[in-house]
Amino acid sequence: MLRNRFAGGCGEICMFTHWFSDWTWSNIVIRIVVSLLLGTVIGIDRGAKRRGGGARTTITVCLGAAMIMLLEQYLEALYPGRIDISRIAAQVVSGVGFLGAGSILVSGHQIKGLTSAASIWTCACIGLAVGIGFIDGAVILTVVWLAGLHFVPYIESRIYKHSRYMTLYMEAVSGREITLVSRKLKEDHCFIDTFVVDKPKAKGQYYQIMTTFRIPRGVNKEAYLHTLQEITGVEMVNEV
């Protein structure tokens, strides 16, 4: 029944998809196994780079999402016309966002875990696709996604190498050095995008500065970073 419903609009191009859309025991087993395999591949890729969202997490999310879509199709077959097959899946897409948010960590001046959170959410979407029988789409998305995660950083590094923007984290002894840094950037004709200062919360701690600015053309980044480090009272300068 479900196969006939979709067949009219897709034609022969979607034939491979329909093989796994029929409600049969063999297709149910195939979907569960494929969601396990794709979740494992994604998790191993994340774990190999020592990132959050390892294989156990991605397998669990992918299998859980696949089970939701199997349940949706089961209810549609059991109560035809009485179940909105997209409602539970929509709740999964929004609900997994809370799981992903738990992997985001704010440590000092850095935010970590954004890619891990996005990976968990995308893994759930892949599981939903596998669960409804759209296995070819799920496999293609997984391949393209992993290829992008590995290839895009090389493009980024080449582009950022020629970028005139710098984001720096600095620590200063007192508020006087904050004024000196700000004045230095303006005197050197740097365009300041952001300049955020956190005051020390306890005695003996330093003032923390997070700033993003654009250096003039012809100025070397490494040389300018060394210039800022030479300001008296500035204890640390790191590019973020």
Side-chain angles (χ1 to χ4, degrees), residues 65-86:
M67 188 67 232
I68 289 297
M69 290 309 294
L70 287 170
L71 175 61
E72 292 255 24
Q73 191 174 10
Y74 172 76
L75 292 175
E76 172 68 14
L78 193 62
Y79 306 105
R82 298 171 57 186
I83 301 296
D84 185 355
I85 200 170
S86 64

Side-chain angles (χ1 to χ4, degrees), residues 37-47 53 58 123 126 142 145-146:
L37 293 176
L38 294 182
T40 301
V41 171
I42 295 170
I44 290 177
D45 177 75
R46 301 294 301 163
T58 53
C123 190
I126 291 173
T142 301
W145 176 32
L146 293 179

